[in-house]
Structure formats: C-alpha cells, structure tokens
C-alpha cells in the first residue's frame, strides 16, 4: 500500500526505499546517491535525477570551501549539524526522493534510540554512518576502539535503525566491516576507498590508484554476497570521481549497483560551473 505521507520532505519506510532502488536496478540503471550540504544543492541534485540524497555534516564544510575531512574533526557537533541542514535547507526543498541523515553513531553524548527517533520525526527516510571511524586507521583508530568510540557503535546504530524501520546506507573500508553492517540489517553498503581526488581541495597523494580501489571494492562486495544477497552495493571516493570513472568501475567489478558522490557531485559541480560562468562574464568587452 502506498505511503500517503510521502512527498515534500516526508519520509519513506525502509521497504519503500528498497523497492525504489530495486526498480532502478531492474531497469539496468546505476543507483546514484548524492551528498547535499545546502538546499540549492539538494534541489538541483533531485532535478538531475539522483535516487537518494544524503545529508552529511561534511557538506557544510565542503560548501564553505573546506575539505570534506573537516567533517571528521572536532569542529562542531556532527549530529546537530546534519539535523540542522536537513531541517532548514534540504528537507524543505526536496520534492520526492528519499533523504538520508548522516549519523555519528559513536557520539557518547547521544542516547541513540532517542536521537534516531528525532531523525525519523524530522522526515529523514534513513541513516548513514557519517562521520565514520571505518576510514580511520593506525594508532588513533586503536585508541578509539579501546576507549568506547568504536566502529561497533556504528553497527549498533544501524541495528537500532533497522528496528525503527529506517533505511540504512553505510560506509565501510574493509570486508569484515561490511559483513558486520550487513548482519546488522544495513540495506546498502558503500565501499569507501578514500578521500575524493581532484578539484581545489581534493587529495592528490593520499589515495589509492583506480585498480587498487576496485580490488578493495570487489572484496567488500564478495564478502557480503556470501551471506546476504539482498544488499545494494555502491562505490565512493578516492580515484572514483567522474562519470567516466564510475563507468570504468561498473565495467570492472561484479555485483556493484551504483555510486555515491559527495565532493565529486556537489563540490566539483559548483567549482567547475562557477569558474567557467565567471570567466564567460569576464570575457565581455566594453
């Protein structure tokens, strides 16, 4: 039975979002999810035909001209920022597609069941684990794990979201993390292969090459498929940046359903269009 409340910032159920994405896959089309840090980004991403919009705290930094990794730092309350962007900018302008909230699942100040209730009441159709500790490694990651701010907290957040009928689309960096999330009920797994390259604030030397990125992505897909065949799989980050990169990724992996673009869609689009349009204006002669 259709949800009578969908449309203009109202949420979809977990199954309704899954059904929408399955229809895309059944048409042999790629699922495209896009990060939006402002209302105008969300508005025109939807007009462009994206299947999902994800609101991250990093979107605010990205659209203020800073690197998306700022969203991983202690530069504000990540959960509060995502909710604020959703309430006042994105949800009021999105007409029809599901909007997902980036949730910092390991935030020790949040009673997660209470916070997810607010996320749902706001009108979000699902959750994403961002900021995510899956993309932190080394000594600092070990410290986080040992002091109660672990990736497992993000898994527990997804378990709660599943119980609350919220769709979940999650970042992982390793096959074992992907399996944990799938077992927790995650609907879509995003293989995160590093900070996006290119543009004015993208990385250059701190990422893997395309072949290594695809190998990592395939390992994540394969690990989950052994136990769960109903999961959607998407790629994100690193050298997978342009439509051509995504085309190459889809052609050289098995079981991948699409792509999540944040910097590669929102930031790159603004950088290129504003630069070129300004140049056109400045080329005018008196």
């Amino acid at each position: 039975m259709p949800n009578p409340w969908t449309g203009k910032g109202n949420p979809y159920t977990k199954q309704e979002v899954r059904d929408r994405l399955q229809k895309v896959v059944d048409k042999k089309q790629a699922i495209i999810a896009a990060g939006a840090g402002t209302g105008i980004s969300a508005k025109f991403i939807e007009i462009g035909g994206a299947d999902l919009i994800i609101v991250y705290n990093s979107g605010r930094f990205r659209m203020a001209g800073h690197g998306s990794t700022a969203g991983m730092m202690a530069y504000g309350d990540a959960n509060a920022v995502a909710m604020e962007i959703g309430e006042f900018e994105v949800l009021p302008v999105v007409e029809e597609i599901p909007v997902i909230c980036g949730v910092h699942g390991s935030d020790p100040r949040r009673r997660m069941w209470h916070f997810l209730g607010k996320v749902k009441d706001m009108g979000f159709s699902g959750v994403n684990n961002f900021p995510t500790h899956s993309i932190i490694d080394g000594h600092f990651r070990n410290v986080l794990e040992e002091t109660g701010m672990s990736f497992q907290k993000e898994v527990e957040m997804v378990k709660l979201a599943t119980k609350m009928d919220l769709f979940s689309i999650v970042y992982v960096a390793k096959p074992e993390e992907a399996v944990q999330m799938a077992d927790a009920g995650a609907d879509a797994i995003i293989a995160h292969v590093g900070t996006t390259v290119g543009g004015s604030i993208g990385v250059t030397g701190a990422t893997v090459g395309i072949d290594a990125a695809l190998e990592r992505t395939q390992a994540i897909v394969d690990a989950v498929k052994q136990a769960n065949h109903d999961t959607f799989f998407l790629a994100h980050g690193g050298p997978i940046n342009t439509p051509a990169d995504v085309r190459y990724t889809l052609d050289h992996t098995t079981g991948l359903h699409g792509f999540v673009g944040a910097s590669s869609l929102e930031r790159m689009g603004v950088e290129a269009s504003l630069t070129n349009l300004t140049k056109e204006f400045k080329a005018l002669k008196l």
Side-chain angles (χ1 to χ4, degrees):
M1 181 177 179
N3 185 345
W5 300 108
T6 51
K8 202 62 177 179
N10 292 309
Y12 293 90
T13 67
K14 179 184 177 79
Q15 189 59 49
E16 285 170 339
V17 180
R18 290 188 60 89
D19 290 344
R20 289 171 65 94
L21 298 185
Q22 189 59 53
K23 287 179 181 177
V24 176
V25 173
D26 289 345
K27 294 177 183 176
K28 304 298 183 183
Q29 295 175 343
I31 295 170
I32 302 298
T38 66
I40 195 165
S41 297
K43 187 173 187 176
F44 288 95
I45 285 168
E46 180 176 30
I47 290 173
D51 301 295
L52 296 174
I53 287 175
I54 308 176
V55 175
Y56 312 101
N57 75 314
S58 60
R60 174 158 291 173
F61 294 104
R62 179 165 54 245
M63 299 312 286
H66 310 296
S68 296
T69 305
M72 298 291 295
M73 305 300 289
Y75 301 149
D77 184 335
N79 284 321
V81 169
M83 289 287 275
E84 184 178 276
I85 296 171
E87 181 175 14
F88 298 115
E89 296 197 49
V90 174
L91 289 167
V93 300
V94 171
E95 292 286 346
E96 196 267 337
I97 64 175
V99 181
I100 309 301
C101 184
V103 175
H104 195 184
S106 62
D107 186 341
R109 304 163 302 169
R110 294 298 200 283
R111 295 169 294 156
M112 197 48 63
W113 60 269
H114 182 246
F115 181 66
L116 291 184
K118 292 182 177 180
V119 168
K120 191 170 184 177
D121 288 344
M122 184 73 70
F124 288 102
S125 297
V127 297
N128 166 262
N129 60 326
F130 192 89
T132 175
H133 294 180
S134 69
I135 57 175
I136 299 173
D137 57 15
H139 176 70
F140 185 46
R141 172 69 180 271
N142 292 336
V143 171
L144 290 171
E145 294 290 328
E146 291 179 12
T147 54
M149 291 166 281
S150 63
F151 178 75
Q152 184 60 34
K153 293 289 187 180
E154 299 174 33
V155 175
E156 292 170 6
M157 182 272 288
V158 170
K159 285 183 180 178
L160 274 174
T162 299
K163 290 181 180 179
M164 298 172 71
D165 200 29
L166 284 161
F167 178 85
S168 54
I169 176 169
V170 298
Y171 284 121
V172 301
K174 301 174 182 176
E176 54 267 34
E177 293 169 347
V179 173
Q180 283 181 274
M181 281 296 195
D183 288 345
D187 299 287
I189 302 288
I190 310 166
H192 196 304
V193 293
T195 303
T196 302
V197 303
S200 65
I201 48 179
V203 299
T204 53
T207 189
V208 297
I210 186 69
D211 291 331
L214 299 195
E215 184 177 340
R216 188 183 302 177
T217 299
Q218 189 66 64
I220 287 169
V221 173
D222 291 344
V224 176
K225 274 191 168 294
Q226 290 179 8
N228 189 323
H229 300 286
D230 297 326
T231 310
F232 297 102
F233 297 97
L234 301 100
H236 172 84
I240 309 171
N241 182 14
T242 66
D245 297 331
V246 177
R247 176 70 273 160
Y248 183 86
T249 300
L250 292 170
D251 288 343
H252 291 82
T253 54
T254 302
L256 201 63
H257 299 112
F259 172 70
V260 176
S263 293
S264 53
L265 254 164
E266 185 177 37
R267 173 172 64 82
M268 297 295 195
V270 170
E271 286 184 9
S273 62
L274 287 182
T275 300
N276 294 333
L277 185 58
T278 303
K279 285 180 177 178
E280 286 186 40
F281 277 115
K282 281 299 296 177
L284 298 173
K285 306 293 184 183
L286 297 179

